[in-house]
């Protein structure tokens, strides 16, 4: 068993992770005739409730401000001893006065789940908190509310990166997050595969995550630490934009020193295709798009080894970072219906989704197909900020390595390259890297499609009320465009930070950018230097 522990830091992360856990729960099977291709023990932990009943809950640590949990209680129905959520009797036999904050009531969707009734259709009006569309039970130790910090406080503003550092330091004085939160989950694992940290990167949670990851690296050694850094992709006023840009740069500076892999995600990404219709101000919508990409690209890490060649986080990161110390990877997403709805040419669709190896492969054609594989779809890190908008598009990115995950129930043997066979049934195939040059490309294919649940918003035009699954394709690549982004960010950050921090921050961003130019040069030009 290769377990993964998930850390969820902040509201945006918890919106995304709630979609993720709902998807994992949908893979459960309840009869001997059915067998899920997913190894549920990777992300879920067995246990016993107070009455001795068996429980099965996520291996998750959920940090957020108390006000963000909505109606979700720390002690849910699985662990609730009668009266445990109310005042308890003690040794004092005198009169007492109970002061209790007003409870946030459950919405109709949650109440229907509790009553085992068909839940009503959710909307942006009925989803006020990430717990409003949650479908799973969590262990009480997973729920970690930070009540001593109030959101948007004028005395202790939380939008700064340094406030997150202070928040972690303050918490550690009374409650060590590693010893008292993480260690119990880690000690239950037979063989910890890795930790995935989903966090805000351009607010206080970037600072909180940086200190947490520092401690994790000290304690767990070489275990894979994957960080999914979420940035606000919307356009803001200048002062807000400047603060978020500095926060993002600080997160990259700090987290890339300790994380095994760092993936930027804009919430929402810019320049979305027409087949995606979402409300960019509704985190229920935008997080659903991010989850589609994250849940798909990490699929190989939780599939059963008996159902194909699964890939652990460490195996995948070793492949992606095989060319050197390149900690940042670029994520892209494509939905199958996009090709059909936007009238793409058949030959383009054949090359990019889902069977890119059906034509003969000479060296030139192989490089062309590699670019199609890795450079199509939605750039999940593309935001509306100036350093993203200013990226040069004069030359295509050089791809050092990439992994592609295709989920399509129509996958069959004729879609596979020569010499790769998949027996009947639910399988996953890992393509050897020798299939492509010059980029190293590994492709995974599975007929297990992305689930469209009643908790998932209708953000894809192709979705009908009867459709319950979606064919998707994601790529995770190490490429020169990362250097281009960092150089543009350096130009933006340089005017925002004080002199004491400027040199250290700019030097570190430059060092990371250089890692994506080592061994390759675009005619001696540096990306993004003319932008600022």
């Amino acid at each position: 068993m290769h377990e993964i522990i998930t850390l969820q830091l902040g509201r945006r992360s918890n919106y995304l992770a709630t979609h993720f856990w709902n998807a994992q729960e949908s893979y459960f099977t309840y009869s001997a005739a059915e067998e899920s291709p997913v190894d549920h023990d990777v992300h879920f932990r067995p246990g016993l409730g107070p009455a001795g009943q068996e429980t099965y809950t996520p291996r998750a640590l959920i940090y957020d401000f108390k006000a963000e949990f909505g109606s979700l209680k720390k002690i849910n129905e699985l662990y609730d001893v009668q009266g445990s959520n109310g005042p308890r009797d003690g040794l004092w036999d005198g009169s007492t006065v109970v002061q209790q904050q007003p409870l946030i009531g459950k919405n109709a969707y949650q109440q229907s789940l509790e009553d085992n009734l068909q839940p009503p259709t959710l909307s942006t009006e009925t989803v006020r908190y990430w717990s409003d569309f949650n479908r799973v039970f969590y262990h009480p130790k997973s729920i970690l509310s930070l009540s001593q910090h109030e959101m948007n406080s004028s005395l202790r503003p939380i939008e700064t990166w340094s406030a997150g550092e202070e928040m972690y330091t303050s918490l550690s004085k009374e409650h060590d997050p590693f010893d008292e939160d993480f260690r119990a989950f880690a000690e239950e694992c037979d063989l910890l595969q890795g930790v995935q940290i989903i966090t805000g990167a351009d607010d206080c949670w970037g600072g909180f995550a940086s200190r947490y990851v520092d401690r994790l690296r000290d304690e767990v050694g070489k275990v894979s630490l994957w960080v999914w850094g979420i940035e606000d992709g919307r356009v803001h006023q200048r002062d807000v934009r400047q603060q978020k840009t500095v926060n993002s740069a600080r997160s990259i500076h700090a987290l890339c020193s300790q994380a095994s892999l760092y993936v930027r995600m804009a919430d929402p990404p810019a320049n979305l295709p027409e087949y995606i219709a979402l409300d960019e101000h509704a985190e229920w919508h935008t997080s659903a798009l991010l989850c589609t990409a994250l849940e798909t690209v990490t699929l190989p890490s939780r599939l059963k080894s008996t159902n194909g060649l699964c890939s652990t986080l460490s195996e995948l990161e070793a492949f992606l970072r095989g060319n050197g110390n390149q900690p940042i990877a670029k994520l892209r997403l494509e939905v199958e219906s996009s090709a059909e709805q936007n009238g793409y040419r058949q030959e383009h669709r054949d090359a990019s989704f889902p069977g890119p190896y059906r034509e003969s492969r000479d060296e030139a054609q192989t490089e062309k197909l590699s670019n199609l594989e890795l450079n199509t779809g939605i750039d999940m890190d593309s935001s509306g900020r100036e350093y993203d908008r200013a990226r040069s598009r004069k030359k295509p990115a050089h791809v050092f390595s990439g992994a592609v995950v295709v989920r399509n129930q129509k996958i069959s043997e004729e879609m596979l390259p020569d010499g790769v066979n998949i027996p009947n049934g639910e399988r996953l195939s890992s393509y050897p890297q020798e299939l492509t040059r010059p980029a190293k490309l590994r492709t995974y294919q599975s007929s297990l499609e992305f689930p469209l649940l009643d908790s998932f918003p209708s953000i894809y035009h192709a979705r009908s009320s009867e459709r319950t699954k979606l064919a998707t394709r994601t790529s995770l690549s190490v490429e020169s465009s990362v250097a281009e982004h960092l150089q543009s960010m350096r130009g933006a950050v340089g005017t925002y930070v004080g002199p004491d921090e400027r040199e250290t921050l700019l030097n570190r961003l430059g060092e990371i950018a250089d890692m994506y130019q080592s061994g390759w040069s675009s005619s001696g030009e540096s990306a993004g230097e003319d932008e600022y």
Side-chain angles (χ1 to χ4, degrees):
M1 179 186 321
H2 293 76
E3 299 90 348
I4 297 175
I5 298 174
T6 300
L7 266 62
Q8 305 166 205
L9 309 180
R11 184 184 68 245
R12 285 184 301 193
S13 303
N14 287 323
Y15 265 93
L16 188 160
T18 300
H19 285 299
F20 177 85
W21 293 118
N22 289 348
Q24 305 317 302
E25 190 266 349
S26 73
Y27 302 139
F28 290 174
T29 54
Y30 301 96
S31 69
E34 297 179 285
E35 181 181 357
S36 173
V38 174
D39 184 352
H40 305 304
D41 289 337
V42 170
H43 282 291
F44 285 80
R45 51 177 297 281
L48 294 176
Q53 76 277 24
E54 294 183 354
T55 61
Y56 204 48
T57 54
R59 303 183 190 274
L61 295 170
I62 305 171
Y63 292 87
D64 212 336
F65 297 106
K66 186 175 183 179
E68 294 295 333
F69 283 87
S71 63
L72 184 65
K73 298 178 180 179
K74 184 176 182 68
I75 301 176
N76 56 52
E77 288 85 345
L78 291 180
Y79 298 92
D80 188 18
V81 178
Q82 187 174 5
S84 62
N85 279 309
R88 298 184 179 182
D89 294 333
L91 296 177
W92 174 255
D93 58 0
S95 61
T96 59
V97 177
V98 177
Q99 292 184 341
Q100 184 173 347
Q101 290 183 331
L103 297 177
I104 298 174
K106 296 181 179 179
N107 65 356
Y109 183 86
Q110 288 296 317
Q111 193 61 53
S112 297
L113 293 179
E114 183 174 313
D115 297 336
N116 293 317
L117 300 175
Q118 179 65 33
T121 301
L122 288 167
S123 68
T124 54
E125 289 75 25
T126 58
V127 175
R128 300 177 300 158
Y129 305 92
W130 51 263
S131 59
D132 285 341
F133 62 96
N134 171 59
R135 294 184 58 89
V136 303
F137 289 112
Y138 298 99
H139 191 280
K141 290 184 178 180
S142 290
I143 307 301
L144 300 159
S145 63
L146 305 181
S147 57
Q148 66 268 43
H149 298 275
E150 293 296 330
M151 288 188 57
N152 299 322
S153 168
S154 59
L155 298 178
R156 295 182 58 84
I158 67 157
E159 65 270 12
T160 63
W161 195 88
S162 58
E165 282 189 304
E166 295 174 6
M167 191 163 62
Y168 182 88
T169 301
S170 175
L171 177 65
S172 300
K173 292 178 180 178
E174 301 177 359
H175 177 98
D176 189 309
F178 181 86
D179 283 333
E180 300 189 43
D181 300 337
F182 184 88
R183 186 182 296 278
F185 283 85
E187 290 178 347
E188 294 176 337
C189 299
D190 292 335
L191 181 60
L192 182 62
Q193 175 185 161
V195 183
Q196 63 175 6
I197 301 102
I198 309 173
T199 180
D202 62 354
D203 55 16
C204 70
W205 293 106
F208 189 93
S210 298
R211 299 288 74 80
Y212 209 135
V213 171
D214 283 345
R215 181 70 190 280
L216 287 175
R217 182 56 73 199
D218 289 341
E219 297 289 346
V220 301
K222 296 183 179 180
V223 169
S224 294
L225 302 178
W226 282 37
V227 177
W228 304 89
I230 306 174
E231 302 176 8
D232 191 341
R234 298 169 297 174
V235 178
H236 293 277
Q237 294 181 350
R238 181 178 177 82
D239 58 336
V240 176
R241 187 169 66 245
Q242 290 178 350
Q243 182 65 68
K244 288 184 176 295
T245 298
V246 172
N247 290 341
S248 297
R250 288 169 173 162
S251 292
I252 291 175
H253 169 223
L255 289 168
C256 286
S257 300
Q258 302 290 359
S260 306
L261 203 69
Y262 184 90
V263 183
R264 291 180 61 233
M265 304 179 78
D267 182 25
N271 304 316
L272 293 176
E274 293 181 356
Y275 67 88
I276 294 179
L278 55 77
D279 182 350
E280 70 170 17
H281 298 288
E283 289 177 297
W284 177 49
H285 277 204
T286 58
S287 61
L289 178 63
L290 301 188
C291 178
T292 306
L294 184 153
E295 206 274 333
T296 294
V297 82
T298 58
L299 179 65
S301 67
R302 54 183 168 275
L303 289 186
K304 295 178 180 177
S305 59
T306 55
N307 283 314
L309 301 176
C310 62
S311 179
T312 64
L313 297 180
S314 60
E315 291 169 345
L316 187 53
E317 79 193 34
F319 174 80
L320 290 172
R321 298 184 62 173
N323 284 317
N325 186 26
Q326 298 160 322
I328 302 176
K330 187 176 183 66
L331 178 64
R332 292 184 177 90
L333 167 70
E334 188 173 3
V335 177
E336 180 188 26
S337 59
S338 65
E340 300 171 356
Q341 292 189 15
N342 288 282
Y344 289 178
R345 293 176 302 169
Q346 181 66 34
E347 58 267 27
H348 177 267
R349 187 160 70 247
D350 287 347
S352 63
F353 193 107
Y357 298 101
R358 280 178 273 183
E359 303 178 25
S360 59
R361 296 189 302 276
D362 56 28
E363 184 174 347
Q365 180 70 4
T366 296
E367 182 174 358
K368 177 181 177 182
L369 293 179
S370 298
N371 288 334
L372 280 173
E373 270 285 272
L374 294 167
N375 294 329
T376 59
I378 304 166
D379 285 353
M380 299 303 294
D381 64 347
S382 177
S383 72
R385 299 187 193 175
E386 66 271 23
Y387 58 79
D388 277 324
R389 297 197 306 269
R391 295 185 198 182
S392 171
R393 295 303 182 192
K394 298 177 182 178
K395 295 185 179 182
H398 174 79
V399 180
F400 296 95
S401 56
V404 177
V405 180
V406 179
R407 306 171 70 168
N408 193 330
Q409 65 181 1
K410 298 179 181 178
I411 285 177
S412 58
E413 291 187 16
E414 60 266 22
M415 292 183 178
L416 303 178
D418 298 337
V420 179
N421 295 316
I422 295 183
N424 293 331
E426 191 68 50
R427 302 289 290 178
L428 176 75
S429 176
S430 174
Y431 293 2
Q433 66 186 58
E434 290 77 16
L435 287 174
T436 61
R437 292 292 185 268
K440 296 192 303 179
L441 178 64
R442 179 172 292 179
T443 303
Y444 302 87
Q445 296 199 23
S446 173
S447 61
L448 180 65
E449 295 186 333
F450 182 80
L452 296 175
L453 309 173
D454 55 23
S455 61
F456 196 89
S458 298
I459 61 173
Y460 302 114
H461 279 322
R463 179 179 179 182
S464 65
S465 58
E466 295 79 21
R467 190 167 186 180
T468 60
K469 296 179 181 179
L470 187 70
T472 58
R473 171 189 171 281
T474 55
S475 66
L476 196 60
S477 58
V478 174
E479 58 185 66
S480 60
S481 66
V482 172
E484 186 179 348
H485 161 76
L486 292 175
Q487 294 288 13
S488 295
M489 178 180 272
R490 289 182 74 228
V493 170
T495 62
Y496 299 161
V497 298
D500 293 340
E501 183 184 11
R502 183 183 300 124
E503 183 176 0
T504 300
L505 188 57
L506 296 188
N507 285 345
R508 178 54 179 161
L509 292 177
E511 290 172 0
I512 299 174
D514 289 342
M515 299 173 186
Y516 293 83
Q517 297 172 335
S518 177
W520 173 82
S521 175
S522 58
S523 303
E525 297 180 7
S526 295
E529 290 183 347
D530 59 340
E531 303 297 347
Y532 294 92

